[in-house]
Amino acid sequence: MKLKKITALMLASAMALSLTACGGGSDSKGGSDTPAEVNLDGDFKVSELNVKIWDNNQLDGLQKIADKWTEKSGVKVNIDVVTWDNYWTLLEAGVQGGDMPDVFWMHSNTAQMYMENDVLLNLDPYIEKDDAIDLKNYYEGIVNLYTRSDNGAHYALPKDHDTIALLYNKALFDKYGVEYPTDDWTWEDMYNAASKITEAGKADGVYGYAVNVSNNQDGWYNVVYDYGAQIITDDHKGTTIGSEEGKAGMEMVRKLLSVGAPQSVVGQTGTDSLFQSGLTAMITQGSWMINSFYTAEHAADYAWAMLPYADTNGNGACDKGERYSAYNGLGWAASAKTEDPNAAYSLISYFCSEEGQKMQSELGVTMAGMLGASDAFAAAFDGMDVSCFIKVEEEGDLYFRPYTRKTTVWEDKLQKKGGFLDAWQNPEDPAVMSAACDNAQKIIDDAIAAE
């Protein structure tokens, strides 16, 4: 889900020390969390399960799904929302001897470290006896993400998947006489529209576009892929950000930044606040954030379109490989030390079952992690057309959000001086962005080599 940058180096270093102290390590085969008896038929040992998540927008819907499971199991589910930064601090404290939640979300940034150190419950013994779960029915990238590389075991089940779209304010487009975005827009079209609105809106402090460059999944990553490069190659062993295609994508990012809200403004206010305050006409956002705009004061002015594409062959049409959307997926995981692993897995299974996944879509919580279970999602927001989030899967291309074993290491370095920081802050000079791409190539390659 949404990638606000983790306090990366603190987490990475602390996790490396604390997880190793747990007695796991990359050679562990996960035997310590294998249950003595798998029981999926109820009669659980506990009366309550403690669940932790970080997104308040999903709380009500997930609690309704959990309550359905409670009706069947008799076990109460308490779902608590913890802010993103505090969430990882809480889990880290649990790893070092504190209390871990019974069931919680896993994320691509940290999954490998948790899986390799026996912090998470090995779900394979349960999956083997569970008729409701067939991993072939879920998005492959998400299944692979939560599969441990050294032993092939699964430590989380796919909760959801997400895609990215362009959000725009019709009132601002009307005010400054610019035509609305369409699904046929190129990134160049978006740049031209943003330029016009930024120029016309100077007196009002209005920008045509705003992006927080640290939110890569819903921002600049997609442009890079549209132009033919990859942040992380499919084999997770390198990057092509420094290639000509990568530089072409980042040149478009530079142009958009040059006519958008300065990063100093974005850092103080945030893209969502700028948009809802009527100070920017366009942002790109993930499907997990729809509800925030659907329930906003000026929601009637808001509309969505598919992400623009890169017309790299100049034929005026969107061909395969020219419109990409990142997708990511959270995983439902359980603590290896949960008091009743059978109850914890049973709840996870229900969340990820066809019934639970369809409820998640129908309630507008998020799109499903199960293939073909998201059809109802587009109809969950009466009066707001969000079909572009599904249409991009059908008419565009998806790529799984780039990750490696220690994603946060290179992600953090890309944001700093020596990475893209100078180009983010001073987007007027193409040479600065080109040099930053070369630096980024080395940063990622070196980080992967050190993993």
Side-chain angles (χ1 to χ4, degrees), residues 76-91:
K76 183 180 179 182
V77 178
N78 299 311
I79 304 179
D80 297 317
V81 178
V82 182
T83 62
W84 171 266
D85 288 334
N86 288 336
Y87 183 91
W88 299 105
T89 301
L90 179 149
L91 288 191

Side-chain angles (χ1 to χ4, degrees), residues 133-140 143 370-371:
I133 302 298
D134 183 344
L135 294 177
K136 292 183 294 186
N137 294 332
Y138 298 84
Y139 283 82
E140 182 180 9
V143 173
M370 177 179 282
L371 295 165

Side-chain angles (χ1 to χ4, degrees), residues 218-283:
D218 55 356
W220 59 276
Y221 274 8
N222 303 294
V223 187
V224 171
Y225 279 76
D226 285 356
Y227 278 83
Q230 293 180 304
I231 304 299
I232 297 295
T233 53
D234 293 336
D235 60 7
H236 299 276
K237 294 181 179 179
T239 179
T240 58
I241 187 67
S243 67
E244 291 305 309
E245 293 83 0
K247 290 182 177 181
M250 292 308 296
E251 170 60 12
M252 177 51 68
V253 172
R254 183 199 67 77
K255 290 174 62 175
L256 288 167
L257 288 172
S258 73
V259 296
Q263 288 302 294
S264 58
V265 173
V266 171
Q268 291 177 351
T269 309
T271 56
D272 295 353
S273 295
L274 283 170
F275 186 85
Q276 293 190 26
S277 299
L279 296 177
T280 188
M282 292 181 285
I283 60 174

Side-chain angles (χ1 to χ4, degrees), residues 320-334:
K320 183 172 179 57
E322 292 184 334
R323 189 197 322 262
Y324 275 98
S325 169
Y327 85 98
N328 196 14
L330 301 185
W332 280 115

Side-chain angles (χ1 to χ4, degrees), residues 10 109 165 184 192-193 214 227 242 248 314 324 343 350 354 370 383 423 432 448:
M10 288 177 57
N109 272 11
D184 296 323
N192 290 333
S214 67
Y227 278 83
Y324 275 98
Y350 186 70
E354 183 174 6
M370 177 179 282
V432 174
I448 292 174

Side-chain angles (χ1 to χ4, degrees), residues 153-384:
H154 303 88
Y155 288 83
L157 289 182
K159 174 198 171 289
D160 54 36
H161 85 287
D162 47 52
T163 57
I164 314 301
L166 174 64
L167 178 64
Y168 62 97
N169 186 326
K170 294 181 290 184
L172 290 180
F173 274 78
D174 290 342
K175 179 177 181 178
Y176 298 114
V178 179
E179 293 187 6
Y180 297 157
T182 72
D183 290 344
D184 296 323
W185 261 23
T186 65
W187 289 108
E188 195 70 36
D189 292 327
M190 182 173 168
Y191 166 73
N192 290 333
S195 299
K196 292 176 183 177
I197 293 174
T198 296
E199 181 62 29
K202 278 183 178 178
D204 304 318
V206 172
Y207 299 97
Y209 174 59
V211 61
N212 187 334
V213 291
S214 67
N215 292 348
N216 42 44
Q217 179 189 346
D218 55 356
W220 59 276
Y221 274 8
N222 303 294
V223 187
V224 171
Y225 279 76
D226 285 356
Y227 278 83
Q230 293 180 304
I231 304 299
I232 297 295
T233 53
D234 293 336
D235 60 7
H236 299 276
K237 294 181 179 179
T239 179
T240 58
I241 187 67
S243 67
E244 291 305 309
E245 293 83 0
K247 290 182 177 181
M250 292 308 296
E251 170 60 12
M252 177 51 68
V253 172
R254 183 199 67 77
K255 290 174 62 175
L256 288 167
L257 288 172
S258 73
V259 296
Q263 288 302 294
S264 58
V265 173
V266 171
Q268 291 177 351
T269 309
T271 56
D272 295 353
S273 295
L274 283 170
F275 186 85
Q276 293 190 26
S277 299
L279 296 177
T280 188
M282 292 181 285
I283 60 174
T284 51
Q285 256 299 0
S287 52
W288 63 87
M289 287 296 293
I290 293 173
N291 196 56
S292 292
F293 301 101
Y294 180 68
T295 58
E297 181 180 358
H298 300 291
D301 291 332
Y302 303 161
W304 300 88
M306 277 200 293
L307 282 174
Y309 71 96
D311 188 15
T312 55
N313 60 13
N315 69 351
C318 182
D319 297 319
K320 183 172 179 57
E322 292 184 334
R323 189 197 322 262
Y324 275 98
S325 169
Y327 85 98
N328 196 14
L330 301 185
W332 280 115
S335 168
K337 296 182 179 180
T338 182
E339 182 178 351
D340 190 345
N342 287 304
Y345 175 80
S346 180
L347 174 60
I348 290 173
S349 175
Y350 186 70
F351 275 133
C352 300
S353 68
E354 183 174 6
E355 180 178 346
Q357 291 279 282
K358 286 186 174 179
M359 279 187 66
Q360 182 174 255
S361 295
E362 290 166 359
L363 293 168
V365 178
T366 55
M367 295 190 290
M370 177 179 282
L371 295 165
S374 298
D375 292 346
F377 182 78
F381 302 92
D382 186 38
M384 179 177 278

Side-chain angles (χ1 to χ4, degrees), residues 99-120:
D99 292 329
M100 290 280 284
D102 296 297
V103 174
F104 47 95
W105 286 347
M106 260 294 106
H107 189 281
S108 56
N109 272 11
T110 54
Q112 295 300 318
M113 286 187 288
Y114 277 93
M115 289 191 296
E116 291 174 5
N117 290 277
D118 299 335
V119 175
L120 309 181

